[in-house]
Amino acid sequence: MTERMPPPAAEVVPDRAATDGTRADTITAPNGSPGPDGFPGPDRSPDANGSPDASGSPPSPEAAARRRRLPAFVTDPRDRRALLIWFVSHVGFVIYTYLAGPGRTTDPFLNRLTRWDAENFIAIADYGYDGPPGMQDSGKLPAFFPGMALLIRILRPVIHDERLATVLISLVASAVLAVALSRLAESYREGSGTYAVAALFLSPFAAFLYTGYSEALFLALAIPAWALARKGRWEDAAICAALSAGVRISGLFLAFGILVIFLVAGNGGRAPGGWRRLPWLALPGVPVLIYTFFQWTRTGDWLAYNSVQDQYWGRHTVWPWEAFLNTLNMSDDVASLTTSYYEEMIAAGVLLILTVCLAVRRRWPELAYMTPQALSFLTLSSFYMSVGRASLTWFPLWIALGVVAVRRPWVWYVSMAVMLPVMAINVGNFTTGAWIG
């Protein structure tokens, strides 16, 4: 990572109109110019370049030079706090996984972390989309984008155990996303990064960040893409977004949000010559088109991804109230899934509230990212499935919690009081073989 130079001293100017159409307290430079979307990044490393440290004493020239040679995540206290949360939460997850096992499962530890989707990624990595010989439901594999499986396959010469590879991918990716989320949240409001990271890693469905699923990998690409777009680095943002689209379909939703940032940002489409960079923003669609074409060559179906979703998971267009009523009626069918279905309904409610709040506050880029997800989960599925797990990818939610926590810490603590017990239940259930989304 390159060193981040601190901006000039800043002052808070209330009610300045942001370039994305919102009105909010923004941090501006002395000349009063806001950043690309009205929320420039605050000073993140005041002592890394020879400025006075927290004690008020300037570091020695030798110390300043040494700091300049180190990556920012080593010298920046906010990055270090984000990584500390990442480390401590993983340690807690491992401890709880061991404690939850006796009497509930005798599976080896790695098997507890690599159930369901992880097994499908491994099957694709080993045998392609036809699946291993004898796999009864290999027809469902086109529902999984190839990014995670490709990475498992690339790592095979180094990491021979595919289950271990999937867990290590999530481990490293979650460290990247912790730092990236902290930095992104700080660009919205000073001091919000630590709260946002803790909220994500302690959220109800955080178990999927610690296991062999693709959420951590997706976020490790999506959050930097969003941050790069806010800085006006459109080519880099497009590349990261394209890589995320190879991991999950949500990469297309991300690209839509980045397009809106480009349209409203002062250093995007409104800048002199800015429209010359617009073609870059089509790049995230390329992996999806390639994958669609590949599945057509296999199945003869241009919409193989959607067809599989409908065939195996009942995901097709319904009225929003039908999806809710179907989920409510199903919640009593299997006692072991009752809690999971209720969590899905609550997650759907949070998704709807978040989307409405973004619209009311005129946060157009975030709204552009979240609206397709709201439509997908609330109207394109006959019942709610994996809505809670998808909440991990709603980074505007975690940033919002971080921003609110700076001014009203009690909101964050109340949120933790609700989320932590649910997370504990879900970690215990997932690692012992129960479905949680």
Side-chain angles (χ1 to χ4, degrees), residues 12-31:
V12 176
V13 181
D15 292 331
R16 180 177 297 276
T19 59
D20 63 354
T22 63
R23 293 184 62 85
D25 289 352
T26 65
I27 301 176
T28 60
N31 63 5

Side-chain angles (χ1 to χ4, degrees), residues 25 28 40 114 155 172 190 254 294 304 361 383 385 400 425 435:
D25 289 352
T28 60
T114 51
L155 292 174
V172 174
E190 178 80 26
L254 177 77
F294 168 73
R361 294 184 62 83
F383 66 100
M385 174 180 283
I425 292 172
W435 175 259

Side-chain angles (χ1 to χ4, degrees), residues 200-255:
L200 173 61
F201 278 85
L202 301 177
S203 61
F205 291 86
F208 295 104
L209 296 177
Y210 308 114
T211 55
Y213 273 57
S214 62
E215 277 74 13
L217 180 59
F218 170 78
L219 287 169
L221 297 165
I223 294 176
W226 195 269
L228 289 166
R230 283 169 58 86
K231 295 177 181 178
R233 296 171 56 181
W234 306 110
E235 296 88 346
D236 296 334
I239 292 171
C240 286
L243 292 173
S244 74
V247 176
R248 296 179 65 87
I249 189 67
S250 304
L252 283 183
F253 310 149
L254 177 77

